[in-house]
Amino acid sequence: MPEGHSVHRIARQFDQHFVGRRVAVSSPQGRFASGAAMIDGHEMIESRAVGKQLFLAFDSGLWMRVHLGLYGAWDFAGEVTVDATLASASGRMGQTNQRGTFLEAYEDSLHSIGAPRRTRLRMAESEQLEEPETEWPPPPIGQVRARLMTEATVADLRGPTACEVIDDAGVARALAKLGPDPLVDRGTAGQRRFVENVRTRSAPIGQLLMDQSVVAGIGNVYRAELLFRAGLSPFLPGRQVPTDVAKALWDDWAKLLKRGVETGQMLTIDGLRGEAYRRALAFRADRHWVYHRTGEPCRRCGTPIAMEIMAGRKLYWCPTCQPG
DNA sequence: TGCCCATGGTAAT
DNA sequence: TTACCCTGGGCAG
């Protein structure tokens, strides 16, 4: 599922290709038919991401709120922005599964950074470039909950946890449930809220980082990786996390989120160069310190990475580097 | 082909 | 805690 960085990238696609345009909204699958009718034909005036939620504003005063959940995805077709070298390269990598082809795709993708072009792009937990369609508009494939269409671009939403039309008060209610997001709550205000949220709760920090009311946008990957980077035990109660450690956690999240939005990948190992960097882009197994590495040797100390279920989700950590 | 798993979250128990 | 929503990829057979 998309953690926060993906949703910010999706919001940017809407900002660049839908905001300022009239949008035809429909529900090919039918389950969003009444919501679609409320905003169909109106101009999109704003695209905003907060944590893992996307808010699209229309000139009628109504908003579309979308949460992708575990399986959701947006499929863009037509004119979209392709700026993630890795996204495109790894996408084609996945189709061919041959490293040589990956390198060719990587080199090829360097030419298209930031350039709007006609293609198809799947935006979910990862991004994948696909062959451009020949028919326009492209026929919806599978269960498309919502279709948003301008003259140049189609966005198909499938499998979301939440997809609804709400008013300003509804947006306010949704935002009130969310903790700070570094790309929304800039400066020290967001950091202050985060530190207070952590240090007033007794739940373990590994659980608090996944709590969207404590901090918005962190998922299971970033949770594990942030704790490793901080050398922090996932089991330390929030109120026992020193203030300077909590501040540093927030700053590191802000740094990783920014990197994720720029690259389209959850790159949590710093300083990768050359082949190691390209491998990390192409292969998830080469991308993280501890996430999804149960039993494998810690990249820093060699201790087998541990895993246990915390609050229903798999938690990964290094018992030596993150003592407690 | 079919089963398991997944980067979420909510509601029921 | 568990069930469930709902989709796609990986992998065993």
Side-chain angles (χ1 to χ4, degrees):
Chain A
M1 131 86 199
E3 301 197 20
H5 70 296
S6 310
V7 184
H8 281 283
R9 288 176 63 82
I10 290 163
R12 191 173 58 185
Q13 291 285 3
F14 280 107
D15 190 54
Q16 293 173 339
H17 300 289
F18 286 80
V19 168
R21 295 174 168 87
R22 294 170 65 87
V23 183
V25 183
S26 60
S27 179
Q29 171 210 52
R31 288 184 53 187
F32 183 60
S34 60
M38 296 167 71
I39 50 179
D40 180 36
H42 285 274
E43 181 184 326
M44 189 183 293
I45 58 174
E46 186 182 349
S47 168
R48 184 191 304 183
V50 182
K52 299 171 185 172
Q53 308 209 26
L54 176 68
F55 299 89
L56 303 173
F58 293 84
D59 63 2
S60 57
L62 294 175
W63 299 71
M64 182 175 172
R65 182 182 77 91
V66 175
H67 192 303
L68 291 177
L70 192 50
Y71 322 109
W74 284 99
D75 289 319
F76 290 88
E79 193 167 296
V80 301
T81 300
V82 178
D83 66 346
T85 57
L86 296 202
S88 59
S90 62
R92 275 175 274 189
M93 179 68 203
Q95 291 168 16
T96 61
N97 226 17
Q98 291 174 12
R99 179 154 309 181
T101 307
F102 161 68
L103 290 173
E104 288 171 21
Y106 174 80
E107 302 295 337
D108 180 47
S109 68
L110 294 176
H111 300 295
S112 59
I113 299 173
R117 66 182 198 190
R118 286 190 62 82
T119 184
R120 284 198 301 143
L121 176 66
R122 158 157 284 231
M123 300 187 78
E125 147 260 334
S126 63
E127 296 173 28
Q128 199 151 344
L129 266 187
E130 295 163 1
E131 291 305 307
E133 77 293 333
T134 53
E135 194 178 338
W136 188 265
I141 300 171
Q143 297 288 311
V144 175
R145 182 79 60 88
R147 164 167 283 201
L148 279 63
M149 182 165 64
T150 69
E151 289 186 0
T153 307
V154 161
D156 283 345
L157 171 67
R158 58 215 320 140
T161 280
C163 172
E164 62 174 356
V165 173
I166 54 179
D167 59 14
D168 288 346
V171 173
R173 280 193 295 274
L175 293 179
K177 297 177 187 172
L178 297 176
D181 174 328
L183 289 181
V184 176
D185 306 278
R186 296 172 181 274
T188 57
Q191 186 193 57
R192 200 176 321 121
R193 282 176 62 197
F194 171 74
V195 172
E196 181 185 342
N197 287 344
V198 166
R199 288 181 42 81
T200 54
R201 300 181 202 219
S202 55
I205 185 65
Q207 205 169 309
L208 293 176
L209 291 185
M210 293 279 283
D211 184 336
Q212 300 301 301
S213 70
V214 171
V215 50
I218 294 178
N220 208 15
V221 178
Y222 279 131
R223 176 263 293 265
E225 297 291 295
L226 283 165
L227 289 171
F228 178 88
R229 289 163 61 93
L232 196 57
S233 165
F235 305 98
L236 188 67
R239 52 176 94 256
Q240 291 181 31
V241 176
T243 298
D244 60 329
V245 172
K247 283 183 176 176
L249 260 181
W250 170 265
D251 290 343
D252 202 34
W253 166 227
K255 173 182 171 179
L256 289 187
L257 177 60
K258 180 167 174 283
R259 179 187 296 171
V261 173
E262 287 170 356
T263 65
Q265 303 278 355
M266 288 185 271
L267 297 169
T268 55
I269 302 177
D270 296 346
L272 293 178
R273 296 285 182 270
E275 175 64 12
Y277 181 64
R278 288 192 287 270
R279 284 170 59 102
L281 293 173
F283 303 101
R284 190 176 69 178
D286 295 327
R287 204 174 292 164
H288 305 307
W289 288 106
V290 296
Y291 177 75
H292 220 286
R293 297 192 66 239
T294 309
E296 294 180 57
C298 173
R299 299 187 193 282
R300 185 168 283 158
C301 76
T303 303
I305 299 303
M307 189 278 286
E308 77 173 49
I309 305 296
M310 176 182 276
R313 306 298 302 278
K314 288 188 175 179
L315 166 70
Y316 305 86
W317 81 103
C318 171
T320 300
C321 296
Q322 303 165 258

